[in-house]
Amino acid sequence: MQRDTLVFDLIKQELERQRRGIELIASENFTSLQVMQAMGNVMTNKYAEGYPGRRYYGGCEIVDQTEQLAIDRLKQIFNIEYANVQPHSGAQANAALMLSILQPGDAILGLDLSMGGHLTHGSAVNFSGKLYKPHFYTVTREEGLIDYEMLESKAREVKPKLIICGASAYSRDIDYKRIRTVADEVGAFVMADIAHPAGLIAKGLLSSPFEHCQFVTSTTHKTLRGPRGGVIMMGKDFENPFGLKDVKGNIRMMSNLIDMAVFPGTQGGPLEHVIAAKAIAFGEILTDEYTVYAKQVQSNAQAMAKAFVSRGYKIISDGTDNHLMLIDLRNKNISGKKAEQVLGHADITANKNMVPYDDKSAFVTSGIRFGVPAITTRGMNEAHMEFVVNAVDTVLMNADDANTLSKVKTEVNEFMSQFILYPEFG
Ligand code: DSN
C-alpha cells in the first residue's frame, strides 16, 4: 500500500507547530513518547467488548492484562476502590455516569457553562441538558468564587437527583464537603468532574473529592498528561440506589451499574490501544518525577498570575490555586476573540472564554483562558513565566500592529527552541 504522504506531511506540520509555539490552552498537554507510541499499537485491531475476564470476544487474554493494569494503577494513584478506564472521553464518562444513576427528566444541578462550567453539566445543546432537567448555580459577581449559598438554595428548591461540581474555567479549589452536606439534605448524589485539576489532586496539591463525592469523572489528557480519553471512579463502591437486580436476583453494586452504563449502555468496543497508553500514563503519574511536575504546574500558574496582575490584568477570583486562570480583558479594550486571533499570529495558542456575567457572546467573549500544564511539560519554570506574560501582553497591547506581532513571533520561536519537544522525531 502506498504511504499517505498527504496526511503524514500534515502530521509533520502539526509537530512543527507544537514545537515552535507557546501552548497556553489549559486543557492541553504533551504526552511522553511512550504514551504516544502506545496509542499507535496493534491493540487497535482488537475487539474486547466487556471487561477483563468477562469479554464477548475471544483472544482478549493480553488486552485483559493492559486494561487491568490501567485500572489498578488508577486506583493506586487516588487510593480508591473502583475505576472504569473505558470511556472514550470525558463527555462519554459523564454520559455513562448519568445514565447509571438518572432517569430521563430527572433534575440535575451544575455550574453554569458561562460561569466556567462544562457543556456536559447540563447545557441546553448537550445530551445532559436535553435528557435531564438542568438547573444551574453561578459564581459570585464580586469575587468570582462559586456561590455556595446559591448552590444550596437551588438544591433545596429543585431537589436534584445529582449535583455536579467541577469546571473548565475555574481557578480555585472546591469545597466538596459543603456540597455533599446539602446533597445529603436534599437526597442528591454528588459527581465531581475533575478533568482539569486531576493531576494536582493526584498529588495532594488540591482537595480530594473522593471522600465527599460518590462519583468522580475525569479526562486523561489534561493535567494527567495521558492519551485522549476518560475515566469514571469511586472512592468507595456501594449498593445501587434503585435496587436493580441481576439475573440471579441480587442487588447490583454501583460499580456494576457504572460498568454496564459504559458498556453496553453508551459505548461498544473499548479502545484497547488507548487503554494501554492510559496504563503507561498512570504508571508515570505514580513516579516522583510526576510529583515534581505537578508542583511545578502549580508554581508556574501562580507566577504567571502574578506577572499578569502586575501588568494590570484582571484575573477572575484574583488568582489561582490550580493550573489555569481566566482573565477579563474588558479593561484592556480587546475581546477574547481578537486576543485569541492575534496571539495566534505570534505563535501563542490560547482560547477565548466567556467571563462570569459576560456581556459578549460565546463567539466573541470578554475573556481568555490561560493554562500552564503544556509549557511546564516543555520544561518551563517560574522564571520563564515573565517572558511568556511579556510576550502575551506585547501582543494584546499592539494587536493591530503587524510588525510588532511578527517581531514577537520571532522571539517566541527562538525562545521555544531551547525546550526540545520529541527529539526522537528528528
Ligand atoms: N474542551 C475542554 C476544555 O478546553 O476545557 C473541556 O472539555
Side-chain angles (χ1 to χ4, degrees):
M1 205 178 300
Q2 208 180 344
R3 188 167 170 84
D4 192 331
T5 50
L6 189 56
V7 173
F8 279 103
D9 184 53
L10 289 170
I11 292 172
K12 190 154 189 304
Q13 285 180 44
E14 174 62 13
L15 171 65
E16 292 311 322
R17 187 195 69 79
Q18 292 186 13
R19 277 178 170 165
R20 69 172 178 260
I22 298 178
E23 182 53 72
L24 296 180
I25 293 178
S27 47
E28 293 192 11
N29 213 327
F30 301 105
T31 69
S32 67
L33 185 68
Q34 60 174 352
V35 165
M36 198 182 303
Q37 283 169 334
M39 277 184 272
N41 84 66
V42 293
M43 289 179 182
T44 191
N45 300 326
K46 189 74 199 92
Y47 249 117
E49 287 179 357
Y51 289 95
R54 47 198 169 101
R55 305 279 191 184
Y56 290 87
Y57 291 83
C60 292
E61 56 279 3
I62 312 291
V63 296
D64 271 5
Q65 293 176 56
T66 41
E67 185 165 339
Q68 194 55 53
L69 202 53
I71 292 167
D72 293 343
R73 286 178 176 176
L74 186 58
K75 284 161 70 174
Q76 193 183 339
I77 289 169
F78 290 107
N79 191 21
I80 54 175
E81 278 186 3
Y82 168 79
N84 185 310
V85 298
Q86 291 193 3
H88 302 328
S89 69
Q92 291 288 120
N94 288 350
L97 191 274
M98 289 186 207
L99 182 75
S100 73
I101 53 170
L102 299 174
Q103 300 299 320
D106 278 351
I108 59 174
L109 177 61
L111 178 63
D112 194 301
L113 180 62
S114 68
M115 301 275 159
H118 189 252
L119 276 171
T120 56
H121 299 180
S123 167
V125 296
N126 182 260
F127 77 89
S128 53
K130 285 175 187 281
L131 278 182
Y132 309 112
K133 195 160 186 321
H135 299 273
F136 300 101
Y137 55 93
T138 67
V139 298
T140 56
R141 196 181 274 273
E142 300 73 31
E143 299 98 346
L145 298 172
I146 287 174
D147 189 340
Y148 290 98
E149 280 178 23
M150 180 195 215
L151 187 158
E152 287 160 347
S153 69
K154 279 257 176 181
R156 288 180 187 121
E157 179 194 327
V158 304
K159 302 226 172 341
K161 275 260 179 68
L162 177 67
I163 299 177
I164 303 163
C165 50
S168 284
Y170 185 70
S171 59
R172 295 300 185 179
D173 205 352
I174 291 177
D175 190 344
Y176 301 110
K177 188 171 179 206
R178 185 164 177 182
I179 296 172
R180 175 63 184 269
T181 303
V182 71
D184 283 348
E185 185 190 318
V186 303
F189 285 119
V190 186
M191 175 192 118
D193 179 342
I194 61 168
H196 267 271
L200 302 189
I201 292 169
K203 293 297 172 182
L205 302 172
L206 291 169
S207 310
S208 168
F210 288 99
E211 195 187 329
H212 306 292
C213 308
Q214 293 95 340
F215 311 111
V216 178
T217 59
S218 184
T219 54
T220 48
H221 49 272
K222 297 187 176 89
T223 48
L224 288 181
R225 212 163 58 177
R228 301 198 77 81
V231 291
I232 304 177
M233 301 171 279
M234 285 192 295
K236 286 214 167 303
D237 197 2
F238 58 100
E239 276 188 8
N240 78 63
F242 308 119
L244 222 71
K245 295 191 173 114
D246 66 13
V247 282
K248 292 181 186 147
N250 299 316
I251 299 263
R252 305 294 299 259
M253 297 298 285
M254 228 15 260
S255 51
N256 297 129
L257 283 191
I258 296 173
D259 282 349
M260 286 191 299
V262 174
F263 169 81
T266 52
Q267 293 187 174
L271 310 176
E272 290 297 343
H273 56 308
V274 176
I275 289 173
K278 286 176 180 172
I280 292 173
F282 298 157
E284 291 176 353
I285 292 164
L286 287 166
T287 63
D288 293 341
E289 209 178 312
Y290 183 89
T291 310
V292 172
Y293 166 72
K295 286 182 180 160
Q296 191 65 57
V297 165
Q298 204 173 35
S299 303
N300 283 354
Q302 278 159 19
M304 176 179 272
K306 204 164 149 212
F308 272 119
V309 169
S310 76
R311 286 165 176 82
Y313 285 86
K314 161 116 189 63
I315 297 179
I316 303 298
S317 85
D318 286 334
T320 179
D321 297 328
N322 57 26
H323 61 297
L324 65 77
M325 65 213 67
L326 178 59
I327 295 184
D328 186 339
L329 292 168
R330 280 177 287 199
N331 67 338
K332 296 289 183 182
N333 293 319
I334 185 167
S335 69
K337 180 180 177 182
K338 175 98 185 247
E340 181 188 304
Q341 268 168 6
V342 290
L343 286 169
H345 294 325
D347 282 348
I348 299 170
T349 321
N351 67 287
K352 62 179 179 283
N353 212 105
M354 286 181 90
V355 292
Y357 307 97
D358 208 325
D359 51 352
K360 297 192 183 74
S361 75
F363 292 107
V364 179
T365 82
S366 298
I368 190 142
R369 186 184 66 163
F370 293 124
V372 299
I375 55 174
T376 306
T377 297
R378 289 294 296 265
M380 288 191 208
N381 59 34
E382 295 91 324
H384 298 115
M385 295 306 113
E386 195 59 27
F387 176 91
V388 172
V389 171
N390 198 46
V392 169
D393 182 45
T394 305
V395 168
L396 299 187
M397 293 304 97
N398 298 277
D400 296 316
D401 177 354
N403 284 338
T404 301
L405 299 189
S406 156
K407 188 166 161 280
V408 175
K409 179 179 152 83
T410 307
E411 286 167 4
V412 163
N413 297 158
E414 204 176 287
F415 177 72
M416 290 313 293
S417 66
Q418 70 187 292
F419 304 105
I420 311 295
L421 183 65
Y422 304 124
E424 300 82 356
F425 295 148

